[in-house]
Amino acid sequence: MRVGWAAVLTLAVLAGGCAAKQEQPATVVRARELMASAEGKSGDLVLRCEPSDADVLLDGVEQGKCSDFSGVSRSLRLHDAGFHQVEVKKRGFYPYTTYYSPSGARVTLNVKLRPLAPEGGGAP
């Protein structure tokens, strides 16, 4: 006789249900905590930058290049409520800094970094 996986799973659940109440593993407790914290406001930040290889920092921690967060499926996801510092920078350009508070929506941020030296010339 062949027993399917669903039958084995049902037996395992029933056998576990008859035993004394057991403590939940730490991983289950942590998963529930994460799910509860995810219920707060979150947000997706799409970045469109010139130059596209500029570095992106979130709250002072490097997240990758601007091009890593330039599409709908490739956005900077913010899950913590409150203001976050978003910085875009590249050597040879003035840095760009702004603050963003997740609102539950997707936001597109267009950033054009200005070169430190004027284009087409430098000091004589």
Side-chain angles (χ1 to χ4, degrees):
M1 183 169 128
R2 191 172 197 187
V3 177
W5 64 270
V8 173
L9 181 60
T10 303
L11 288 174
V13 169
L14 290 174
C18 296
K21 187 172 182 177
Q22 298 177 353
E23 240 181 82
Q24 293 180 346
T27 54
V28 172
V29 172
R30 180 67 181 138
R32 286 197 174 136
E33 290 172 357
L34 289 171
M35 291 299 289
S37 69
E39 291 174 0
K41 297 270 185 176
S42 64
D44 291 346
L45 194 57
V46 175
L47 300 170
R48 304 250 165 84
C49 306
E50 288 183 33
S52 63
D53 63 342
D55 296 317
V56 176
L57 289 85
L58 177 64
D59 297 329
V61 178
E62 189 168 340
Q63 302 295 310
K65 301 292 182 188
C66 198
S67 59
D68 296 336
F69 310 106
S70 63
V72 172
S73 63
R74 302 180 321 169
S75 58
L76 187 59
R77 289 177 172 74
L78 303 170
H79 297 290
D80 298 330
F83 281 99
H84 296 277
Q85 180 185 28
V86 178
E87 185 175 8
V88 178
K89 65 181 184 175
K90 181 176 177 163
R91 177 175 280 178
F93 293 85
Y94 289 101
Y96 173 87
T97 302
T98 191
Y99 295 88
Y100 174 72
S101 179
S103 63
R106 172 172 283 127
V107 174
T108 300
L109 182 63
N110 294 305
V111 177
K112 183 173 182 179
L113 298 180
R114 294 182 306 136
L116 288 173
E119 288 186 28

